[in-house]
Amino acid sequence: MAAVEKRIDLGPDDKEIERLTAQHKIMKSCYEKLILAPIDLSKPGLRILDSGCADGLWLREVQPLIASPHSLIGTDFNPNLFPSDPPGQIMHQAQDITKPWPADWANSFDFVHQRLVLGGCGPFGPEKAVKHMIELVKPGGWIQLDEMDLAGEQQLPGMGGELGRIIRAVFEASGGQWDFATKMKQWMIEAGLENVEEKTIHVAFGKSNPDPEIAKLGIWSLTTSTKALCFAGKTEMGIKGFTEAELDSMGERCEKELIETGVDSPMLSVWGRKPL
Ligand SMILES: C[S@@+](CC[C@H](N)C(=O)[O-])C[C@H]1O[C@@H](n2cnc3c(N)ncnc32)[C@H](O)[C@@H]1O
């Protein structure tokens, strides 16, 4: 029997952009830099892809670091998220990572980046999606994938562990895998990439973030996404392993822990280079 695919929907697009913007600021505050792959950004003419880019914020943030001229492309399967008037040299195009990429994009990018999208692969599976993205990288170019380490998250005490388990349940209910982050490095090595490196970054949501404004954003964004996940889990996703009382109270319990102590979520970033 074919695997069932249910799309994960966390709410209206404008609210989702607000939540993703907050989440971006929190991650940025914990990453030493957004591009960890050792690319020479001073070289003019770079062609860079951000896959699953939502409203393209990551591209707009890295653009000032990249020598001009350049060509920055942001794709997402939901084109309603794209900005109506992106800055010059940034272009957006609808693309589902589980569907074939434009044939003329093969071997064409100096850098392919993707953050927090592999959970949206459904039954197609993240391994094939990563393989197809590697095909877009030109010889000598780099790919960097940033994903939540759900295996590590589930081991956390308190709300961190509970959140890890509910995100896993939602990915599973969508017909997808959940344990892809710890496999990305192996997939890159198997695809023949060189200089493959992996780094764990602890993203501090709520009180544990040293910047009080970013701490506030963490309380709001993680509470909002927890409530949306619990609602989706209870209704259209029909997740298993949680009581109704647990799902109904998780948002408020999460908010309390974020205010009192904070939740430090592990992210895994992996990057590698296609041989010349
Ligand atoms: C959690 S958001 C991350 C957005 C952005 N990469 C960031 O880090 O802020 C996931 C994004 O992936 C997109 N997405 C989910 N499944 C996808 C798929 N199969 N193909 C392309 N985009 C997908 C969603 O529309 C959403 O914009």
Side-chain angles (χ1 to χ4, degrees), residues 6-265:
K6 291 182 193 164
R7 292 282 191 206
I8 303 165
D9 183 0
L10 292 185
D13 292 336
D14 53 344
K15 285 279 153 218
E16 181 59 355
I17 289 176
E18 201 182 339
R19 190 186 69 79
L20 289 173
T21 302
Q23 192 174 270
H24 170 84
K25 290 181 182 165
I26 300 157
M27 288 188 282
K28 192 178 166 196
S29 76
C30 299
Y31 269 68
E32 135 217 2
K33 48 190 181 166
L34 292 173
I35 300 180
L36 296 168
I39 306 161
D40 179 5
L41 299 175
S42 69
K43 198 176 121 198
L46 291 179
R47 184 169 147 83
I48 295 180
L49 170 69
D50 186 33
S51 162
C53 68
D55 73 333
L57 178 59
W58 184 91
L59 284 173
R60 293 195 296 282
E61 292 264 298
V62 300
Q63 185 171 35
L65 311 172
I66 302 167
S68 260
H70 50 238
S71 168
L72 309 185
I73 301 177
T75 56
D76 200 287
F77 75 172
N78 179 4
N80 298 327
L81 298 172
F82 297 156
S84 50
D85 191 15
Q89 307 188 79
I90 298 186
M91 192 272 266
H92 289 282
Q93 184 164 317
Q95 175 71 42
D96 186 327
I97 59 167
T98 69
K99 300 283 182 307
W101 289 86
D104 58 350
W105 286 14
N107 294 309
S108 75
F109 287 94
D110 297 283
F111 183 45
V112 169
H113 173 260
Q114 187 179 265
R115 185 176 69 184
L116 297 174
V117 186
L118 287 178
C121 286
F124 182 82
E127 184 170 5
K128 250 197 289 174
V130 169
K131 189 167 171 265
H132 291 175
M133 283 199 305
I134 291 172
E135 286 166 6
L136 304 176
V137 180
K138 66 160 74 150
W142 292 83
I143 181 167
Q144 177 181 322
L145 303 173
D146 310 318
E147 290 289 344
M148 200 177 163
D149 174 9
L150 262 187
E153 178 88 19
Q154 286 174 80
Q155 303 305 318
L156 295 178
M159 280 317 297
E162 211 170 321
L163 282 174
R165 289 190 290 281
I166 193 160
I167 298 170
R168 170 181 175 171
V170 168
F171 285 166
E172 284 176 335
S174 73
Q177 293 174 25
W178 63 272
D179 57 346
F180 41 80
T182 46
K183 296 179 176 165
M184 298 185 304
K185 182 176 181 195
Q186 189 57 32
W187 293 338
M188 286 194 197
I189 292 168
E190 282 165 8
L193 299 192
E194 352 174 281
N195 304 102
V196 178
E197 286 191 53
E198 179 187 74
K199 189 175 166 84
T200 298
I201 291 104
H202 294 275
V203 179
F205 288 90
K207 194 176 176 194
S208 54
N209 196 299
D211 180 326
E213 285 309 309
I214 304 276
K216 261 194 247 167
L217 286 179
I219 296 167
W220 172 77
S221 72
L222 204 54
T223 303
T224 305
S225 49
T226 303
K227 286 183 178 167
L229 273 174
C230 289
F231 181 75
K234 209 170 94 167
T235 53
E236 74 262 36
M237 306 298 291
I239 58 163
K240 298 188 177 69
F242 293 87
T243 65
E244 198 161 329
E246 278 172 326
L247 292 176
D248 287 343
S249 65
M250 203 181 288
E252 272 159 37
R253 287 184 291 118
C254 179
E255 187 170 27
K256 185 169 182 289
E257 190 166 315
L258 287 163
I259 293 169
E260 288 175 358
T261 54
V263 172
D264 288 356
S265 275

